[in-house]
Amino acid sequence: MSQIRSNYSKDPSAAPVLAAFEREKWRKARDLAKKLCKKDHDRYLPLVIEANVELCREMIAKGQLSEAETVVAHLRTIAEKEPCDELAEQIEQAQSAQKPATKPGPAPASPSAWREAINAVTRLETGEDAIPASAWLAADALVAGEAEPDPSDDGPVAGRLRNELKAVREACAASGQGAWDDAKACLVQIPARSIFRHWRLFLRGVRHWFLGESAAAQQCFGRLPDGSACARAAAAISGDGLASGIDHGTLAAWWIASSDAGNIDVRALVKIEAEWNQGHWRRPFDRLTPIMTPYWQKMEGALLSLWARLLFPPDLHVDTDARRRSHEMHACGKGLAHRSKKMPGLSLAYLNPALVESAPDLETHELALLVENLIEISSRLFGKNPIRDNVLHRWLADQAASIDVHRSIYRPYYRDPELAKIMYEAALKNDPNDLHSALALVDLLGHLNEKSVRNRLLDQLSQRFPNEKPVLQRAGRLAAERSAFPKAIKFFESAHRADPLDPDIRADLIRTYLRLIDKRQAQGKAPQKEWEIVDGYAFDHPVTEPLWLSRWSLRLRRAISSPDDSRAEAWRSEALQLAPHQAECLFLEYGLRTARDEDPDRSWIKAWRSVTCDHFSDIQRLIDVADHLEASLTDSFDPLEDLRDPLEEKLKDLLPGLLLKAPMEARQFYLTNVAKADRHLFGRRLISSGNLRAILLDKMEAELEPLMKRPKNVHPALQLLYYENQLAAYELAGDEDEIQAIANLIDKATAQGLTEIAQQARRLHRSLKDMEDDDSDPFFYDGDEDEDEDEDEDEDEEPFDPSDVPRAFLLQLFEAVQNDDTKALAKLRGQAKQYGLPPEMLNMEVLRQVFSDHDPEEEAPKPAQPKPARPKPKKGRKNPKSNSQMDLPF
Amino acid sequence: MNPFAVLNLSITCSDADVRARYQTLIKRYPPETQPEAFQLIHEAYTKLRTEHDRWRWLFFNQDPQVGDTPLQVLQTFARLPGRSRPPGHDAFRQLLAGAVKAAATSNQS
């Protein structure tokens, strides 16, 4: 609100005028102020002047210059000289800007164009269809006024042509003004074989376009001859006008006029465009600022929003270093905020890319500085706003609480949990209803082991948001953690009512009920009621659901836990029927009974063995079973954990098998959790053993070696494991026999429908082919090479410094390996050179090995190191194994 | 897509402004007859519905559309739903003349 208007804020009679000002109804404000003037002229005259000034500015922005002149003339009678002169100057500038757009020069008579058009009409009348392109162009020039009819030609054809031309021109004039009926009436006079016939189609398209029927318009425009004047004009109206070949001044004038963009200086805009396209940035921006001024004054509208985004050339965002980009943009944003408070959108546009694009690359304290500065600038521009501050604090907190992928090889590392905690608290202070921040803070406090604070916060949240599912779920889990099972069930049931389709809540309910049942049974009670309830929540599709939550496993568990019940045998039979694999059901039964010391004579293990075979097949079978358990690895480990003590020797074979088959994410999750829990000593030993894959493969190798003499009898999965192990141990040379053997494996896997194995084998096949094709493979030593030469090369070569490799590159590399994205890896190979990284090093298999061998205790990530050249092994002779493979934990 | 531009709103607008403009526009561009425009308007509305949403878009939108030239901005603006209107005879004639010149130049080359 201006100073003048604020003087009247306490005047009740001026309230309607101020309200009209608020709504930017200047005319109404002026009329109301005039009425007040009649009562007290001296007091209310400033309001009349203010309303007239604003009205005049609006008229200038809309291009209503003659009306604006009238207002200024009136203002001169009541206001001081200065504002009137300023407005008059603005009107003058606007008038000069409009001149080139509104004054097309008179076209001279063009006998040649006219003659060509006459000839074309004559040909059309004689039934000839082949009209030269120049004749169509001449017709277009006549319509557009670029050529005029020859006044000396008064033949009958010329008369007809003149009439048709007149009709088309009138149709164009009517279309330009939106008089569609008039345009239609004019176009009716154009015959089907006229030289102006394509104008009918074009003008129909124009009508559809301005009536908002864009599909119909595009249909008409699409049928226009390519490259014709009509097609070019159609592109300017609806499509890519900048590619139409029409000069920029004309296009700009058209877009300004047809979209009510106000009073924009076309010539200046075209100049800016040319400079912009030459790669300049600052100068065009400075020139653009005065053009934008009318929009900043109103501070709204589509064009303002679009102007605000028109700032930086794209290469500044992509190529420049994140830190420099962030600082430069931030400096610009601050400068703008100081320069004019009318440019908030512009300032934000500077800062937005700095935040979004630089976030992953900047340190958290730099991000914090950026955010605090942004809050300061925004406060200066828009005033204080807790919601805005909440959004910024929450974003910063989310960034600080995100996982650092460089460090999270074996367990998740947060980027900056302490900062995240402070920022979430700040976000909540600004907006106490921000549930996202509250829940994120609860999770973070759990991670920081501040359990008492977390519990208190969660209690408050469950009272404040009694119907929010995530709150209820967390409160239920906390209650379950405290062994308050009835309370936990109450929370979970409320959450289930809020979202009955959420499988996680069902899973939580089942887990809690099972723990309650165990507790009741330990107290000597029969939990029949709980069993009935939990059966209602059980999942029917065990293939995709966690093992313990499926109906069959619950029946089995009930049968085993209630051996005296007359229905126990029936429940067990049902479980066997419902289970997807008999072996799976029997394996669980064996596990449960052993854990309950019910299997002294090992009868259950015999039952299980009856559906499996020997030691080796057990693993194979479990790997197959684990396929169905990928989504719930932790659950599948629970029975195995129960069996740990009596059967540790057995488990040492089984666990790696399961882990190998599990997805990487689940594997890391499981290992992280077991590492934290003291009772999972077995899991901790697994982690300490290092490469799980190596353990399994090492154990399998001894058994696979004799079997692989006849590979046809070996399961494709095991064949693949064998070959991968061979490759990792540098025992594959990539010769024809090996490539053929893997090709056979691909065929076999494809024939059996094992697509995943076939895909993996194809990758192996490609690696081997590459080895065969590439003579300069750095991983195999070529004995024929001159050693001295190699030494010289080593001396000349600049030593590779891992710290030269940027983190962003490593991140991309890591993601490519994790996702097995060979395309991304191919791109990264190109970039590798500039960091001194040999491109040959970016071999997917090697990278996989490097990342899987990564030391979890390392503070900062290190780039992949090239493996030292090793002598090529002779076929049939094994290399000594690495220490990590030799030192097995079992 | 700039939702503020699509809805023709200021960055300091209120929830009520956004809702009112959305309702006006969907009446003008119903999904039955103008599915593309409706989708654009609806998408813009979902991005600006609350004050949180608006600030989040202003600060952290993943599509900042930077690097447009001034004429690209004008072209985008002219193609927004509800912007185009017949510009008058002179502007139309000037466009046609420009198109004829471009076609003639192209024909000569």
Side-chain angles (χ1 to χ4, degrees):
Chain A
M1 190 182 278
S2 75
Q3 181 62 39
I4 295 170
R5 276 178 255 167
S6 61
N7 291 342
Y8 298 90
S9 57
K10 288 178 184 170
D11 184 347
S13 54
V17 186
L18 296 181
F21 270 118
E22 279 293 308
R23 296 200 309 276
E24 298 186 0
K25 304 283 183 192
W26 314 122
R27 233 180 265 274
K28 192 174 180 186
R30 184 190 62 181
D31 295 344
L32 290 168
K34 269 184 182 174
K35 282 180 189 170
L36 290 175
C37 257
K38 284 176 188 168
K39 291 178 192 167
D40 186 344
H41 182 270
D42 292 344
R43 176 164 171 68
Y44 295 110
L45 184 63
L47 277 180
V48 177
I49 295 171
E50 175 96 348
N52 272 312
V53 168
E54 294 293 351
L55 181 62
C56 186
R57 281 183 185 149
E58 189 185 66
M59 285 170 170
I60 295 169
K62 284 184 176 174
Q64 298 164 341
L65 302 180
S66 57
E67 290 90 337
E69 276 175 341
T70 314
V71 176
V72 172
H74 171 66
L75 264 177
R76 285 190 190 283
T77 62
I78 55 172
E80 288 175 5
K81 191 171 176 284
E82 200 179 320
C84 301
D85 286 349
E86 194 187 319
L87 287 170
E89 199 178 323
Q90 285 182 19
I91 292 169
E92 205 173 312
Q93 282 175 2
Q95 279 170 339
S96 65
Q98 276 186 352
K99 273 176 193 167
T102 52
K103 277 199 170 179
S110 173
S112 63
W114 179 251
R115 181 54 41 206
E116 199 148 5
I118 292 283
N119 290 343
V121 171
T122 315
R123 270 189 228 152
L124 281 169
E125 282 180 354
T126 55
E128 207 177 319
D129 277 337
I131 305 293
S134 57
W136 293 114
L137 202 58
D140 291 345
L142 286 166
V143 175
E146 289 295 291
E148 289 296 329
D150 184 355
S152 60
D153 190 352
D154 54 357
V157 178
R160 277 202 302 279
L161 192 60
R162 261 199 203 92
N163 288 340
E164 285 176 19
L165 177 61
K166 190 180 168 210
V168 178
R169 281 183 172 180
E170 281 174 3
C172 286
S175 296
Q177 285 161 350
W180 308 119
D181 290 339
D182 295 349
K184 252 185 185 175
C186 294
L187 288 174
V188 169
Q189 300 168 33
I190 311 296
R193 290 186 66 78
S194 166
I195 192 153
F196 301 117
R197 62 196 180 200
H198 55 295
W199 284 88
R200 285 168 47 169
L201 194 59
F202 169 68
L203 291 174
R204 200 190 309 157
V206 171
R207 186 182 73 226
H208 283 306
W209 178 260
F210 285 115
L211 290 176
E213 297 154 5
S214 56
Q218 294 290 6
Q219 215 175 349
C220 294
F221 292 154
R223 285 162 58 196
L224 292 168
D226 283 344
S228 67
C230 289
R232 286 165 196 274
I237 294 169
S238 68
D240 188 4
L242 289 168
S244 66
I246 302 174
D247 69 286
H248 284 169
T250 308
L251 284 174
W254 168 260
W255 286 324
I256 290 166
S258 69
S259 59
D260 196 14
N263 179 34
I264 298 176
D265 185 345
V266 175
R267 282 179 301 180
L269 203 63
V270 172
K271 208 177 273 182
I272 293 167
E273 178 84 4
E275 285 179 331
W276 197 283
N277 288 333
Q278 283 164 10
H280 302 300
W281 162 46
R282 292 266 185 187
R283 202 169 44 191
F285 171 68
D286 287 340
R287 283 177 192 260
L288 202 59
T289 309
I291 292 179
M292 290 189 271
T293 305
Y295 305 100
W296 304 128
Q297 282 174 352
K298 284 184 76 182
M299 259 189 46
E300 69 169 339
L303 197 55
L304 168 67
S305 303
L306 289 168
W307 283 136
R309 298 281 149 203
L310 173 143
L311 289 166
F312 290 96
D315 53 354
L316 188 72
H317 294 266
V318 178
D319 294 343
T320 46
D321 163 60
R323 195 161 286 107
R324 192 169 70 75
R325 185 174 65 213
S326 148
H327 288 168
E328 185 171 348
M329 290 184 181
H330 191 250
C332 288
K334 270 195 141 177
L336 277 173
H338 281 297
R339 213 157 81 190
S340 170
K341 287 193 176 184
K342 291 169 184 170
M343 297 188 183
L346 198 58
S347 310
L348 292 177
Y350 268 111
L351 292 159
N352 163 290
L355 277 175
V356 174
E357 293 182 19
S358 311
D361 300 319
L362 292 179
E363 295 295 335
T364 46
H365 69 268
E366 291 172 307
L367 278 180
L369 189 68
L370 201 61
V371 163
E372 288 309 323
N373 283 335
L374 187 50
I375 288 174
E376 187 198 322
I377 293 172
S378 307
S379 302
R380 200 181 305 141
L381 292 167
F382 304 105
K384 288 195 172 178
N385 184 326
I387 301 292
R388 180 194 62 226
D389 295 354
N390 163 273
V391 166
L392 285 165
H393 283 136
R394 173 172 148 180
W395 178 81
L396 179 59
D398 285 343
Q399 293 296 318
S402 62
I403 301 289
D404 185 344
V405 288
H406 293 293
R407 300 171 71 196
S408 305
I409 303 295
Y410 287 90
R411 57 197 157 102
Y413 277 88
Y414 293 98
R415 281 180 77 179
D416 192 343
E418 287 299 333
L419 177 68
K421 185 183 152 194
I422 295 166
M423 285 300 124
Y424 279 132
E425 283 168 354
L428 281 172
K429 201 175 164 188
N430 284 318
D431 181 10
N433 292 323
D434 180 6
L435 190 58
H436 168 93
S437 297
L439 292 173
L441 183 59
V442 165
D443 296 341
L444 190 68
L445 288 169
H447 170 75
L448 294 171
N449 216 18
E450 294 182 21
K451 289 187 178 167
S452 60
V453 186
R454 178 198 64 178
N455 298 350
R456 214 168 36 244
L457 178 63
L458 200 50
D459 285 341
Q460 287 170 5
L461 284 177
S462 56
Q463 285 168 13
R464 195 183 168 90
F465 301 101
N467 298 317
E468 286 292 340
K469 183 183 80 171
V471 176
L472 293 167
Q473 196 174 13
R474 280 172 178 78
R477 284 179 181 171
L478 178 63
E481 197 180 300
R482 291 164 168 173
S483 300
F485 302 122
K487 194 178 171 187
I489 286 169
K490 208 175 152 190
F491 280 124
F492 287 137
E493 281 178 340
S494 301
H496 183 64
R497 275 195 295 277
D499 184 1
L501 298 176
D502 188 336
D504 285 347
I505 296 172
R506 269 172 80 181
D508 281 327
L509 266 169
I510 297 172
R511 282 199 182 92
T512 315
Y513 267 113
L514 288 177
R515 290 183 68 187
L516 182 64
I517 287 167
D518 285 347
K519 192 177 168 187
R520 293 269 151 87
Q521 281 178 336
Q523 290 167 350
K525 295 176 185 169
Q528 296 299 331
K529 191 181 152 197
E530 284 79 5
W531 274 120
E532 296 300 330
I533 296 170
V534 83
D535 196 55
Y537 290 120
F539 290 89
D540 281 324
H541 307 289
V543 172
T544 54
E545 302 300 343
L547 180 68
W548 277 120
L549 311 179
S550 60
R551 202 173 299 282
W552 68 267
S553 66
L554 287 171
R555 297 263 161 95
L556 182 68
R557 195 171 168 136
R558 190 175 182 184
I560 293 169
S561 66
S562 313
D564 302 332
D565 198 306
S566 57
R567 287 165 293 175
E569 192 48 42
W571 288 329
R572 184 179 174 276
S573 307
E574 279 177 31
L576 274 166
Q577 278 176 3
L578 289 169
H581 299 284
Q582 202 183 5
E584 195 174 335
C585 189
L586 290 172
F587 172 65
L588 278 184
E589 184 169 12
Y590 148 61
L592 288 168
R593 299 227 181 241
T594 310
R596 292 165 62 89
D597 289 333
E598 288 179 6
D599 193 20
D601 56 353
R602 300 173 69 77
S603 58
W604 298 109
I605 200 167
K606 282 176 196 161
W608 179 38
R609 289 246 180 223
S610 68
V611 290
T612 56
C613 305
D614 50 18
H615 168 72
F616 186 72
S617 303
D618 293 346
I619 297 174
Q620 194 182 336
R621 179 72 203 152
L622 270 176
I623 287 173
D624 289 343
V625 170
D627 253 350
H628 305 294
L629 302 174
E630 281 180 359
S632 58
L633 191 71
T634 312
D635 287 312
S636 67
F637 274 101
D638 283 348
L640 293 171
E641 270 300 315
D642 291 340
L643 302 176
R644 181 174 59 82
D645 291 334
L647 285 167
E648 188 158 332
E649 278 303 306
K650 181 75 183 169
L651 284 174
K652 75 183 178 190
D653 293 334
L654 301 182
L655 272 172
L658 280 168
L659 283 172
L660 176 70
K661 199 68 191 172
M664 175 68 85
E665 196 185 350
R667 203 186 307 175
Q668 284 177 3
F669 175 77
Y670 174 74
L671 294 177
T672 308
N673 284 323
V674 295
K676 283 184 197 163
D678 289 338
R679 66 188 183 88
H680 288 93
L681 290 174
F682 188 74
R684 297 182 74 164
R685 282 172 59 186
L686 266 178
I687 294 168
S688 63
S689 71
N691 191 346
L692 291 162
R693 183 188 184 81
I695 300 166
L696 177 71
L697 294 178
D698 192 50
K699 289 201 152 293
M700 280 190 166
E701 197 180 5
E703 297 195 42
L704 277 171
E705 191 78 47
L707 291 175
M708 283 302 288
K709 285 174 187 164
R710 287 186 176 177
K712 280 184 186 172
N713 300 331
V714 182
H715 191 276
L718 299 171
Q719 278 190 54
L720 180 68
L721 289 173
Y722 175 78
Y723 287 127
E724 284 187 340
N725 197 29
Q726 293 277 301
L727 185 73
Y730 304 101
E731 289 185 13
L732 289 186
D735 61 27
E736 278 181 17
D737 292 346
E738 288 162 357
I739 291 172
Q740 186 54 46
I742 293 169
N744 293 342
L745 165 63
I746 295 168
D747 294 342
K748 190 174 172 184
T750 312
Q752 292 184 16
L754 304 167
T755 49
E756 196 186 338
I757 292 168
Q759 276 176 4
Q760 216 167 324
R762 263 185 218 111
R763 281 197 285 273
L764 186 65
H765 190 260
R766 272 200 298 275
S767 308
L768 282 182
K769 290 279 279 181
D770 289 347
M771 280 164 67
E772 190 191 37
D773 298 341
D774 188 5
D775 291 337
S776 61
D777 193 325
F779 304 107
F780 290 98
Y781 173 74
D782 188 347
D784 294 332
E785 281 178 25
D786 189 347
E787 283 183 19
D788 294 336
E789 212 172 275
D790 279 353
E791 279 172 19
D792 290 346
E793 276 178 13
D794 286 345
E795 277 171 14
D796 292 344
E797 209 173 285
E798 203 174 305
F800 168 63
D801 181 5
S803 63
D804 288 346
V805 183
R807 295 178 71 180
F809 179 78
L810 276 181
L811 178 67
Q812 289 171 11
L813 197 61
F814 180 73
E815 279 176 3
V817 175
Q818 290 282 58
N819 302 331
D820 219 357
D821 188 347
T822 45
K823 277 187 184 171
L825 199 60
K827 276 186 189 169
L828 291 171
R829 266 195 201 105
Q831 294 176 26
K833 262 189 183 174
Q834 58 179 307
Y835 306 126
L837 204 65
E840 300 82 14
M841 220 189 87
L842 300 189
N843 177 301
M844 182 63 91
E845 287 303 316
V846 176
L847 286 170
R848 237 186 243 129
Q849 198 70 19
V850 168
F851 281 114
S852 67
D853 288 346
H854 192 97
D855 182 4
E857 298 303 322
E858 268 184 9
E859 281 300 308
K862 287 184 179 174
Q865 296 274 10
K867 296 223 174 212
R870 294 175 63 161
K872 189 175 177 179
K874 285 179 186 172
K875 285 201 78 180
R877 187 182 157 192
K878 290 178 80 172
N879 276 350
K881 291 194 175 85
S882 66
N883 285 340
S884 65
Q885 285 175 324
M886 294 291 283
D887 296 339
L888 295 174
F890 310 113
Chain B
M1 195 270 287
N2 183 331
F4 285 99
V6 172
L7 297 185
N8 197 14
L9 283 167
S10 151
I11 53 175
T12 49
C13 60
S14 66
D15 292 4
D17 293 339
V18 177
R19 180 140 190 86
R21 187 62 58 89
Y22 172 68
Q23 284 179 337
T24 312
L25 285 175
I26 56 168
K27 273 180 199 158
R28 203 183 303 162
Y29 300 95
E32 297 80 19
T33 54
Q34 307 273 346
E36 284 174 22
F38 174 80
Q39 200 180 340
L40 196 67
I41 292 160
H42 185 71
E43 206 179 314
Y45 173 63
T46 54
K47 286 182 179 171
L48 304 184
R49 202 178 307 200
T50 66
E51 196 177 356
H52 281 97
D53 294 337
R54 291 191 289 279
W55 284 114
R56 211 170 292 134
W57 190 87
L58 278 168
F59 288 126
F60 311 116
N61 76 82
Q62 295 295 315
D63 180 24
Q65 294 178 358
V66 285
D68 277 0
T69 68
L71 288 186
Q72 281 167 340
V73 167
L74 268 186
Q75 181 171 311
T76 310
F77 180 68
R79 296 187 65 191
L80 286 172
R83 296 306 321 176
S84 284
R85 62 179 178 78
H89 180 214
D90 283 343
F92 197 59
R93 196 175 150 192
Q94 199 190 1
L95 176 76
L96 297 180
V100 168
K101 275 180 196 160
T105 313
S106 163
N107 207 27
Q108 280 168 10
S109 63

